[in-house]
Amino acid sequence: MLERLAGRVNADANLLRRGKHVTTTFLIAVDNADHIVRIEHGRIVSITPGPFITPNYSFALRAARDSWEKLWSPVPIPGYTDIFALVKKKLLRIEGDLHPFMSNLLYFKGVLAAAGHTQEAA
Amino acid sequence: MSPRFEPAIGRYLHLDLLGRPHRLYVEEAGQGVPLLCLHTAGSDGRQYRGLLNDERITRNYRVIVFDMPWHGKSSPPVGWENEDYRLTSRDYVRMILEVSAALGLDKPVVMGCSIGGRIVLHLAHEHPETFRAIIGLESSPKVDPYYDVSWLHRPDVHGGEVSAGIVSGLVAPTAPDDGRWETLWHYMQSGPGVFKGDLYFYMIDGDISDRLDHIDARRCPLYLLTGEYDYSCTTEGTLEVARRTGAQAVIMKDLGHFPMSENPEKFIAYLLPVLEEIRLGKKASAA
């Protein structure tokens, strides 16, 4: 699900501008599949799939594949259009040191939205 | 583009509000039935500029929008630096009644969105005789906290940017970019801790679930308009209010939590028939 995330984020000049102060490592879990995403100055420099023995990251976003697919649906589904919508439904959990996430919230929402742009060929 | 002024007039109203002197910014346009508009938490009256500029509305309605104390161009009261802002149901109801009285409004229509959509339910419960009709936008009886609101006011996080980030997903994904980003800009300009202070009403003090059955839409016409993409004030919450009060409810396609600012044109298409019904109802009763 995350194959093209780095390419899309790194090609988005506005997103890079918004995230220019973001340097952190975070974790995205799809079901039990962990991925560690390294960001430097807003640019994704690596996405490393798990499993990990001692993963080191600032914060993690964990949800079932079905929930991520609804969030990233090319046709928006009412009630599933935002990570906080999923949090409210208890379908997504944000844990760890949330400071990098909350202090750059619009940037990280942009990063996550980039994972869902599946209609680019249209 | 030729320079032009919009028809709205903005003035500062001095009044005693909640027992203290206040200076409130008030905008209005149009003539006819007074339509008092209430903005959302952590934002201000600019959200209603689409209505203030729509001649289809202003030819029959005097649209009035005030920035709540601490919001927009209204000042916080003298001494604000020594207190935490926190909105309560009691103060919010009093504020609306006192502003309406100060403006000399005779049986206005009141319309509020989000926290405004909640407080109008309190008005429908406590003061139905005061209003010609009540319109709730994104009304729900309660919203349980679903994130830690302390993130909204701390020195190591930009309050405006995190507030905009929190609410960004409440804008419908189908909203035009200009409406979306203007809506977020208002949040980015909110004063420190003001959004958080409003959410005390929204998530804690303003819960009206236990009084819904005592609201009777026959005592004051009650209309509810909610965007299909609003996951905070959910469509289910709105329909529950309608079922228990007799209100008319419409779920608005392609709209989210900020219908009047995220996509004014689409919202006004839903609002016009409601305003027309209210106006004709008034005519019918006056005849």
Side-chain angles (χ1 to χ4, degrees), chain A residues 78 82 84 87-88 99 102 109, chain B residues 146 156 162 165 168 228 231:
Chain A
D82 185 59
F84 284 102
V87 169
K88 188 166 183 265
H99 187 266
M102 295 301 285
K109 283 193 174 185
Chain B
Y146 55 96
D156 58 347
V162 71
S168 67
E228 63 171 335
Y231 67 81

Side-chain angles (χ1 to χ4, degrees), chain B residues 194-241:
Chain B
V194 172
F195 185 33
K196 180 186 171 195
D198 285 337
L199 292 179
Y200 176 75
F201 165 75
Y202 186 60
M203 292 180 168
I204 308 290
D205 189 63
D207 181 352
I208 196 169
S209 309
D210 61 345
R211 281 152 285 167
L212 276 188
D213 297 321
H214 301 293
I215 297 173
D216 185 349
R218 289 171 300 187
R219 297 180 66 194
C220 179
L222 178 59
Y223 300 87
L224 306 173
L225 303 171
T226 293
E228 63 171 335
Y229 286 107
D230 190 344
Y231 67 81
S232 183
C233 297
T234 62
T235 55
E236 292 83 359
T238 295
L239 294 174
E240 182 195 353
V241 175

Side-chain angles (χ1 to χ4, degrees), chain A residues 18 75-90 94 96-107 109, chain B residues 143-144 146-148 151 154 156-158 161-162 164-171 173-174 181 184 188 228-229 231-234:
Chain A
R18 189 167 294 131
V75 178
I77 306 169
Y80 295 89
T81 52
D82 185 59
I83 49 171
F84 284 102
L86 299 183
V87 169
K88 188 166 183 265
K89 291 175 186 289
K90 303 190 188 329
I94 309 172
D97 174 11
L98 271 62
H99 187 266
F101 179 71
M102 295 301 285
S103 56
N104 296 281
L105 192 49
L106 280 171
Y107 167 75
K109 283 193 174 185
Chain B
V143 172
D144 291 326
Y146 55 96
Y147 59 90
D148 179 357
W151 284 105
R154 48 187 277 173
D156 58 347
V157 177
H158 188 288
E161 298 218 39
V162 71
I166 285 286
V167 302
S168 67
L170 291 169
V171 178
T174 48
W181 286 99
L184 298 184
M188 292 176 178
E228 63 171 335
Y229 286 107
Y231 67 81
S232 183
C233 297
T234 62

Side-chain angles (χ1 to χ4, degrees), chain B:
Chain B
M1 182 171 74
S2 315
R4 66 177 178 90
F5 280 112
E6 297 183 8
I9 300 291
R11 290 181 295 176
Y12 291 93
L13 172 68
H14 289 256
L15 76 169
D16 285 329
L17 198 60
L18 309 172
R20 301 166 78 177
H22 273 272
R23 180 175 186 259
L24 295 194
Y25 181 65
V26 184
E27 283 183 350
E28 68 169 272
Q31 56 209 346
V33 180
L35 174 62
L36 186 62
C37 301
L38 311 173
H39 59 74
T40 65
S43 187
D44 59 65
R46 286 175 294 178
Q47 291 181 315
Y48 284 98
R49 75 174 174 90
L51 273 67
L52 289 161
N53 279 291
D54 196 309
E55 200 270 335
R56 294 171 297 172
I57 296 173
T58 54
R59 69 176 165 229
N60 291 313
Y61 280 88
R62 178 187 170 198
V63 182
I64 304 158
V65 187
F66 70 94
D67 293 347
M68 289 165 62
W70 301 76
H71 298 70
K73 292 169 80 169
S74 292
S75 305
V78 170
W80 67 269
E81 68 275 16
N82 298 318
E83 59 189 276
D84 284 329
Y85 168 69
R86 201 169 79 162
L87 183 68
T88 64
S89 309
R90 177 177 166 276
D91 285 356
Y92 200 0
V93 165
R94 277 183 62 193
M95 178 201 311
I96 295 162
L97 297 178
E98 290 179 7
V99 168
S100 179
L103 293 169
L105 305 183
D106 176 29
K107 293 217 36 150
V109 178
V110 64
M111 176 168 74
C113 185
S114 184
I115 58 166
R118 178 81 58 72
I119 201 64
V120 297
L121 301 180
H122 290 253
L123 295 172
H125 176 239
E126 298 170 27
H127 301 281
E129 73 289 347
T130 306
F131 299 96
R132 193 173 314 240
I134 293 173
I135 305 171
L137 311 176
E138 317 308 317
S139 290
S140 65
K142 68 167 187 170
V143 172
D144 291 326
Y146 55 96
Y147 59 90
D148 179 357
V149 297
S150 69
W151 284 105
L152 302 175
H153 188 205
R154 48 187 277 173
D156 58 347
V157 177
H158 188 288
E161 298 218 39
V162 71
S163 297
I166 285 286
V167 302
S168 67
L170 291 169
V171 178
T174 48
D177 278 346
D178 57 348
R180 168 191 309 280
W181 286 99
E182 183 168 320
T183 299
L184 298 184
W185 182 251
H186 300 156
Y187 274 84
M188 292 176 178
Q189 294 188 306
S190 183
V194 172
F195 185 33
K196 180 186 171 195
D198 285 337
L199 292 179
Y200 176 75
F201 165 75
Y202 186 60
M203 292 180 168
I204 308 290
D205 189 63
D207 181 352
I208 196 169
S209 309
D210 61 345
R211 281 152 285 167
L212 276 188
D213 297 321
H214 301 293
I215 297 173
D216 185 349
R218 289 171 300 187
R219 297 180 66 194
C220 179
L222 178 59
Y223 300 87
L224 306 173
L225 303 171
T226 293
E228 63 171 335
Y229 286 107
D230 190 344
Y231 67 81
S232 183
C233 297
T234 62
T235 55
E236 292 83 359
T238 295
L239 294 174
E240 182 195 353
V241 175
R243 182 174 51 78
R244 291 172 61 183
T245 64
Q248 291 187 39
V250 174
I251 304 304
M252 301 182 288
K253 297 282 290 178
D254 289 330
L255 289 164
H257 188 76
F258 310 96
M260 62 286 182
S261 63
E262 68 180 54
N263 199 337
E265 192 178 339
K266 192 146 274 189
F267 167 61
I268 288 169
Y270 283 100
L271 181 64
L272 283 171
V274 171
L275 294 180
E276 194 63 1
E277 186 172 311
I278 293 169
R279 194 174 66 86
L280 295 176
K282 176 213 164 201
K283 268 189 176 174
S285 63

